Amino acid sequence: MTLHSLSRRSLVALASACALSCAWTVASAAAAFDFSPEQKGRVRAEKDATAIQAIPKNFKFVKEGVFTVAIAPFAPPIATYASDAKTVVGFDPDYAQLIADALGLKLELLPIAWADWPLGLSSGKYDAVISNVGVTEQRKEKYDFSTYRLGLHGFYVRADSKITSIKEPKDIAGLKVITGSGTNQERILLEWNKQNIAAGLKPVEVVYFDDDAARLLGVVSGRADANFNPNAPQAYHAAKDGKIKLVGTVNAGWPLKSDVAITTRKGSGLADALTLATNGLIKSGKYTQALQRWSLLEEALPKSETNPPGLPKF
């Protein structure tokens, strides 16, 4: 296996090139996505009596009549800042609003740094975290989960690439694939490569880039055959400018699964109500509408679960 890393000088040059050829603004992306603070197209839902009834009688929300949710505005289309640079928009905010509607509550979003959510949730600063948190067995020791989106990593190639499908280890044999160092997707890629070598297939060449802009340009410029990283940000770029296309997805917990979930305090009793609310939204079609609004239909769950098996400890 050949491991290739760009030098710092090359990375800087590549990033500079991307700033010229791939730069985008909220205004230029508005044609495909709504980044306005008003969010007039946001999907809304009716109260769900079954979910409301499942809220424990002794559960105390941070604010009476309000569903207080922590969210990290890290990247579109999951969560980012609107054109006013202060309103949080994206699929996770839309989904949080749907849950608040289903529970008959007002929604208050608290923007946070992603790394801060465990302490804030444990200390009672918010009722829940809706911010791309994956279910893991280690996290389940301290938190409860209600799943709401598939945890997917995606293989994306240049729009005119002859590669049409990457679904299993043999499909990456001999390819040059971008991924993130020290990540779960790297673990999957290296395990697939190990299986290929054992089967006598050509090794993969792993290419490491530090940011999404460089990864995008790496594929578009032909420096790599594919980018294997979290699906949602790549789906956003594919929908926005059409320069890349999806050719396969893999669950983040491969060979098991690790889906994305609402995170609540362990034993608070709120998780079951949130799971019921999500399943009601799935049944009504509101959930699908919200996913479609942000080009994330491939991440739709058929059913929400409370505390399902998650990514094991490695």
Side-chain angles (χ1 to χ4, degrees), residues 166-249:
I166 299 179
K167 302 291 186 181
E168 54 186 323
K170 67 180 181 61
D171 296 332
I172 65 167
L175 298 183
K176 184 182 292 187
V177 181
I178 295 169
T179 196
S181 178
T183 62
N184 194 45
Q185 53 269 33
E186 181 197 33
R187 176 188 64 81
I188 296 170
L189 196 63
L190 295 181
E191 178 58 32
W192 280 23
N193 185 65
K194 182 179 179 181
Q195 292 182 21
N196 283 343
I197 292 174
L201 299 176
K202 291 182 178 179
V204 66
E205 181 175 350
V206 182
V207 185
Y208 296 103
F209 289 133
D210 294 332
D211 60 78
D212 286 339
R215 291 166 186 162
L216 174 64
L217 186 59
V219 171
V220 172
S221 67
R223 289 175 179 262
D225 298 301
N227 180 19
F228 182 53
N229 273 296
N231 178 72
Q234 297 190 86
Y236 167 76
H237 284 292
K240 181 174 71 70
D241 55 32
K243 293 181 179 179
I244 57 174
K245 65 180 180 181
L246 175 68
V247 293
T249 59

Side-chain angles (χ1 to χ4, degrees), residues 88-135:
V88 183
V89 299
F91 174 75
D92 276 1
D94 280 14
Y95 174 70
Q97 182 64 70
L98 287 172
I99 292 293
D101 290 345
L103 298 181
L105 302 169
K106 293 182 179 180
L107 174 66
E108 181 174 343
L109 291 177
L110 297 182
I112 61 165
W114 196 88
D116 293 342
W117 71 258
L119 180 59
L121 183 60
S122 298
S123 63
K125 289 185 178 180
Y126 22 85
D127 302 308
V129 178
I130 299 180
S131 195
N132 209 48
V133 179
V135 180

Side-chain angles (χ1 to χ4, degrees), residues 144-155:
D144 285 329
F145 293 94
S146 299
T147 56
Y148 70 93
R149 213 174 71 243
L150 289 171
L152 294 182
H153 294 317
F155 284 100

